Amino acid sequence: MTRYIVVRLLDAIPTVLLVLTLVFVAMRILPGDPAVAALGDFATPEQREAFREKMGLNAPLWQQYLTFVVSSLTLDFGVSMMNGRDVLGLIAYNLPYTIELTIASVLLGVVIGVPFGVWAATNPNRAPDSAMRGFSLIGYAVPDFYLGALLLIVFSLNLGWFPINGGGEGFLDRMHHVFLPALTLAFIKAAFLGRLTRTALLEVMGRDYIRTARAKGAREPRVIYRHGLRNALLPLTTGLGLTTLTALSGSVAIELVFNRPGLGKLLISAIAERDYAVIQGGIVVFALFVVAINLAMDLVYVLVDPRIRVS
């Protein structure tokens, strides 16, 4: 297991370096001048030049790149070009809101999608199966930002059951604020996980060991959950990893729709203001989370199926 973890960590290094390179190049090819974006159109050429010198924008590109890579790996993202605040502090404030939205949406997706998929798989070609197909079709077809706006209008503006914006203070208040955005993301995740559970379980339920378990007199719930669902965990683990990644990326749009704090909303504001430091820091943190999630899924694979382990 130790060797497997070390190999996966070494595999992640080129990925992180590639992401850092792409972020650096993308920031340098964006149109516009960061000095103008930060100081405004009425700043003098001397003020703009002093700003570029202060932010290290006059250094050669290779030197800027090396500084960026070293700073990113040490989580030293500098200060915001717009307000002078520490970028790591801005990320640390907004990141918990994005993490709680991602976790809440994935949990809701699992709670809704997996039981629905099991119900459909144990009733093939009947009403539950048809309902699962219809639910997954709607889930795939409806954009999350449209569904979020619809839920916001109905349950927040019209009924007043949930807050219109913000992230809340305190555990219960934050859960109240995050429920509707999480439900928006969870709808699509539940459709995907439900369909995946149905397909994986249907394949497993036709195996010989399932028929043997039934022939020995095992009760149907035990056959389904102990022998069936347990052996369908590998594709479900893959689906769970993909669901977590899409929930993390989808949080950007949902944070804008519900006007709640988060890393996605911070990034969009920084892009509009051409704030290099915040953009680079935010994207690097996003990328590190993606790498960490992929690594975690690799480790879960080993727990689910030890045959995957590197010898």
Side-chain angles (χ1 to χ4, degrees):
M1 176 64 81
T2 302
R3 181 181 176 184
Y4 183 83
I5 295 174
V6 171
V7 170
R8 286 293 174 262
L9 287 174
L10 292 176
D11 288 342
I13 293 176
T15 304
V16 172
L17 291 177
L18 178 60
V19 169
L20 293 178
T21 303
L22 292 176
V23 170
F24 178 83
V25 172
M27 292 303 98
R28 269 50 185 185
I29 63 177
L30 283 176
D33 187 348
V36 175
L39 302 177
D41 296 328
F42 298 102
T44 64
E46 291 78 13
Q47 289 174 325
R48 295 175 186 173
E49 187 65 24
F51 178 85
R52 296 189 191 99
E53 188 67 30
K54 177 183 177 182
M55 293 299 174
L57 299 177
N58 285 337
L61 278 179
W62 64 267
Q63 186 176 339
Q64 292 184 43
Y65 174 73
L66 291 179
T67 302
F68 167 64
V69 171
V70 173
S71 299
S72 298
L73 294 178
T74 57
L75 299 182
D76 179 15
F77 302 117
V79 297
S80 169
M81 294 181 177
M82 297 296 115
N83 52 36
R85 294 178 60 185
D86 181 59
V87 173
L88 188 59
L90 289 173
I91 293 174
Y93 172 78
N94 287 277
L95 185 59
Y97 292 99
T98 298
I99 292 176
E100 73 180 19
L101 174 58
T102 301
I103 293 176
S105 63
V106 171
L107 289 177
L108 281 174
V110 170
V111 169
I112 298 171
V114 173
F116 202 174
V118 172
W119 189 39
T122 53
N123 295 275
N125 300 319
R126 286 188 279 183
D129 196 16
S130 299
M132 178 71 254
R133 294 175 187 176
F135 175 67
S136 61
L137 181 62
I138 295 173
Y140 290 143
V142 178
D144 52 6
F145 60 86
Y146 174 80
L147 178 61
L150 188 63
L151 293 178
L152 187 65
I153 292 172
V154 173
F155 294 103
S156 295
L157 291 177
N158 293 341
L159 298 177
W161 291 356
F162 296 95
I164 296 177
N165 55 23
E169 298 292 337
F171 178 76
L172 292 179
D173 191 34
R174 288 179 72 150
M175 292 301 100
H176 189 211
H177 277 77
V178 80
F179 180 79
L180 212 56
L183 184 62
T184 303
L185 282 174
F187 184 79
I188 303 172
K189 314 311 170 195
F192 170 69
L193 288 174
R195 186 82 178 192
L196 184 63
T197 302
R198 173 191 174 275
T199 303
L201 191 56
L202 276 177
E203 181 182 355
V204 169
M205 295 301 284
R207 300 286 177 83
D208 291 338
Y209 54 82
I210 297 294
R211 288 191 287 268
T212 301
R214 284 173 172 160
K216 289 182 176 180
R219 295 182 179 181
E220 193 63 17
R222 180 181 177 85
V223 172
I224 294 171
Y225 294 101
R226 180 69 182 272
H227 301 286
L229 192 59
R230 184 177 180 179
N231 287 283
L233 282 180
L234 195 58
L236 287 181
T237 301
T238 303
L240 184 61
L242 293 174
T243 297
T244 306
L245 292 174
T246 55
L248 184 63
S249 60
S251 64
V252 176
I254 298 303
E255 287 168 358
L256 290 176
V257 171
F258 288 90
N259 193 26
R260 57 178 278 115
L263 195 55
K265 187 179 179 183
L266 177 68
L267 273 174
I268 296 300
S269 301
I271 291 172
E273 297 172 343
R274 290 297 305 278
D275 195 335
Y276 275 178
V278 176
I279 296 173
Q280 292 176 163
I283 295 179
V284 167
V285 170
F286 256 119
L288 292 177
F289 266 95
V290 170
V291 172
I293 291 170
N294 282 322
L295 178 60
M297 288 303 103
D298 286 339
L299 299 180
V300 173
Y301 289 155
V302 175
L303 298 176
V304 173
D305 188 353
R307 293 174 297 178
I308 298 176
R309 185 181 307 173
V310 178
S311 58

